Amino acid sequence: MRRQFAIPIVRNFTKTIHTLAIGIVVWIISTMSLSPIVSAQDKDPVFTRHPRTYLVGSQPVSLVLADLTGDGKPEIITANRGHLTNPNEEVPANDEVSILVAGDDLVYRHGAQLESGFAPYAIKAVNVDGQRALDLVVANFMSRRGRDLSMFRNLGELRFESVQFTVPTDSLTYRRHKYSDDSPLFTLPGLTSIAVARLDEDEFRDAIATGWSSDVLVYFRGSAESYFETPTFLASPGGPRDIQIADLDKDGDSDLVIAQYSSGEIAIWLGDGEGGFEETKRFLSGGALPNQVRVADLNRDGWLDLVVSHRYTEDNVVIWYGAEGVRYNRLLKLEAGKDREELEHDIRDIALGDFDSNGWRDIAAACPISRQCIIWFQEQRAGSAPSFRQEIYAFKESDGEPYALAARDVDGDGDTDLGIAMWRTNTVTFLLSNAAEE
């Protein structure tokens, strides 16, 4: 195999984030913008691209690195959406999940090819059935045939039992893009993300998916007999695109964070510990078309922060710093693009990890238009102003376009590496952290 390497480009820049424009909404006046400080001294690139690439299915849009066999080595799992076509066609998209089995020295072999619903859009590796091995849960976007949510129960030795779940759509209204004849461009409910956790007091895992096409959250409660019950709906107007589960108010109960793609908002739902949720806060995300949200305590003050990426010409990642009372009154913008009138990067995915092993979470962004992975390395000290240094890793046209990300130590050296699913070439590649060598 011909070796192809990413070209690391280290950029040093200084930029001030100003107060948001007066008059957007009343509450935004009280927010305080923070100024990212960028290191003034060049450093050696943190990552080196691994020379191997790994072939997966058609157009991977979600990537998971998880140990499915119990040997301590992470498998490569991708949801392969394919190209979306008319929903009335017999095959409107791909319907495949790829598993590559880890061996020694980052050698992978092809394992199972699992049949999901059409256009698998997001995948999670989590123990659903209470057994030792991780199962796979997949949210399908263009599904038919009763396969809106797919679960692949891990039976061991890389054998999987397929369990499919249907979302009743009789009571749902299609709210997204249409053809000129007013027929829907996509299907109901249009699942785009999935989160799985224990959301009530029983022992079973529950799942919540975002129904972007119909402005709902699709809530699958856990079940002893069928793993998940018939879902119920929670209205979430504004195009819910991505969802995360976290205890935002530190009361011991799980809460929800949703990126509202169409309305440009972040919605906060607080949980009651018994499986109930209520939307309690909604605010502008800090950009147009928020497509991904991640939750972590970036500044290590004890409160969870929100990291939100924005697509198309917005080309930025916004950090909302959390405070007591589930307040998000301070933000920081990390800009990828320079021109809001030009599509320069189109951020499709973000991942968090301490890639340089300095004790602070960093942020990675996958940008298919520019064929780049942009990494913002956090270098601040506790109590100081936020400080980030940017590195850009550019790929050749023959490599494909970075589309989905996953952070994990894949080579066993103790440093967090970055897996990248590449659009068009249908491959996965690794950026390996050199932090241990510094």
Side-chain angles (χ1 to χ4, degrees):
M1 182 179 295
R2 181 166 60 93
R3 296 191 175 193
Q4 297 175 340
F5 295 89
I7 305 170
I9 307 170
V10 183
R11 289 185 178 176
N12 294 312
F13 67 93
T14 302
K15 179 176 286 186
T16 301
I17 301 299
H18 298 288
T19 305
L20 291 177
I22 297 174
I24 298 176
V25 284
V26 173
W27 68 266
I28 205 75
I29 298 175
S30 64
T31 66
M32 179 178 67
S33 297
L34 302 178
S35 300
I37 303 169
V38 182
S39 172
Q41 181 179 0
D42 288 342
K43 294 186 177 182
D44 291 333
V46 169
F47 288 112
T48 298
R49 184 182 174 191
H50 185 58
R52 294 192 184 100
T53 58
Y54 308 95
L55 186 65
V56 294
S58 173
Q59 311 301 15
V61 295
S62 183
L63 170 65
V64 171
L65 301 172
D67 180 9
L68 301 179
T69 65
D71 65 356
K73 304 182 187 72
E75 272 64 54
I76 296 172
I77 308 116
T78 59
N80 308 313
R81 193 197 77 185
H83 292 287
L84 303 182
T85 61
N86 190 305
N88 296 317
E89 293 188 9
E90 182 178 357
V91 181
N94 194 33
D95 58 355
E96 178 187 63
V97 172
S98 295
I99 298 177
L100 303 186
V101 185
D104 294 331
D105 300 323
L106 296 181
V107 173
Y108 284 83
R109 63 180 176 84
H110 285 274
Q113 295 285 352
L114 306 176
E115 185 177 341
S116 64
F118 288 123
Y121 218 85
I123 188 166
K124 289 289 186 290
V126 62
N127 189 332
V128 175
D129 62 3
Q131 304 301 313
R132 296 179 62 183
L134 294 176
D135 309 301
L136 301 176
V137 182
V138 183
N140 302 305
F141 182 69
M142 292 278 281
S143 185
R144 292 201 306 263
R145 306 175 304 181
R147 297 188 174 196
D148 295 295
L149 187 76
S150 300
M151 173 183 163
F152 299 102
R153 182 169 169 255
N154 192 340
L155 304 178
E157 298 180 354
L158 295 172
R159 295 178 297 113
F160 294 88
E161 175 191 22
S162 175
V163 186
Q164 304 295 331
F165 301 90
T166 301
V167 177
T169 57
D170 295 345
S171 62
L172 296 182
T173 301
Y174 182 84
R175 302 184 183 279
R176 298 280 85 87
H177 308 307
K178 295 183 179 181
Y179 289 106
S180 57
D181 62 358
D182 206 39
S183 62
L185 186 61
F186 304 115
T187 58
L188 292 171
L191 303 185
T192 56
S193 68
I194 183 77
V196 184
R198 286 193 180 99
L199 301 177
D200 51 30
E201 296 177 345
D202 66 29
E203 60 183 301
F204 309 115
R205 297 286 199 291
D206 311 294
I208 297 186
T210 50
W212 173 76
S213 294
S214 48
D215 282 354
V216 295
L217 306 180
V218 186
Y219 189 1
F220 299 83
R221 287 181 179 264
S223 167
E225 293 78 23
S226 57
Y227 306 113
F228 295 117
E229 296 177 355
T230 300
T232 57
F233 301 122
L234 303 173
S236 185
R241 190 67 166 235
D242 193 30
I243 187 169
Q244 298 292 322
I245 296 173
D247 182 5
L248 300 175
D249 53 5
K250 299 202 289 191
D251 65 352
D253 301 328
S254 293
D255 308 308
L256 308 177
V257 183
I258 299 107
Q260 303 286 158
Y261 183 79
S262 302
S263 62
E265 297 171 305
I266 297 297
I268 304 295
W269 295 62
L270 296 184
D272 60 10
E274 298 179 356
F277 294 91
E278 181 180 3
E279 182 176 326
T280 58
K281 189 183 297 289
R282 186 180 282 230
F283 53 91
L284 295 177
S285 65
L289 303 177
N291 66 316
Q292 300 289 329
V293 61
R294 300 290 180 263
V295 183
D297 183 5
L298 263 68
N299 59 353
R300 303 196 320 206
D301 65 352
W303 297 99
L304 292 175
D305 311 310
L306 312 180
V307 183
V308 187
S309 64
H310 298 90
R311 280 198 55 200
Y312 290 117
T313 58
E314 194 70 33
D315 276 338
N316 70 24
V317 173
V318 175
I319 303 171
W320 286 98
Y321 288 98
E324 187 174 4
V326 196
R327 293 182 294 112
Y328 300 94
N329 295 331
R330 299 186 304 156
L331 66 85
L332 183 153
K333 285 187 178 181
L334 301 172
E335 305 284 358
K338 297 179 180 179
D339 186 349
R340 289 294 169 268
E341 301 300 320
E342 180 181 353
L343 180 57
E344 300 171 77
H345 299 284
D346 192 18
I347 298 173
R348 290 284 184 153
D349 198 11
I350 53 175
L352 308 183
D354 182 8
F355 300 119
D356 55 1
S357 297
N358 69 347
W360 295 90
R361 294 282 188 94
D362 310 308
I363 304 170
C367 307
I369 295 299
S370 59
R371 295 196 302 274
Q372 294 177 348
C373 275
I374 301 176
I375 320 291
W376 289 279
F377 293 97
Q378 189 171 192
E379 298 186 322
Q380 71 188 66
R381 297 179 179 178
S384 66
S387 174
F388 285 86
R389 177 178 60 87
Q390 185 187 80
E391 291 184 5
I392 295 178
Y393 293 80
F395 294 85
K396 299 176 182 178
E397 183 177 358
S398 58
D399 293 326
E401 294 82 39
Y403 203 99
L405 302 174
R408 177 89 183 222
D409 178 10
V410 297
D411 56 4
D413 66 354
D415 295 328
T416 302
D417 308 304
L418 189 64
I420 310 168
M422 307 296 282
W423 190 256
R424 188 173 51 79
T425 55
N426 305 328
T427 56
V428 169
T429 189
F430 291 133
L431 292 181
L432 302 179
S433 173
N434 302 316
E437 301 175 6
E438 296 180 358

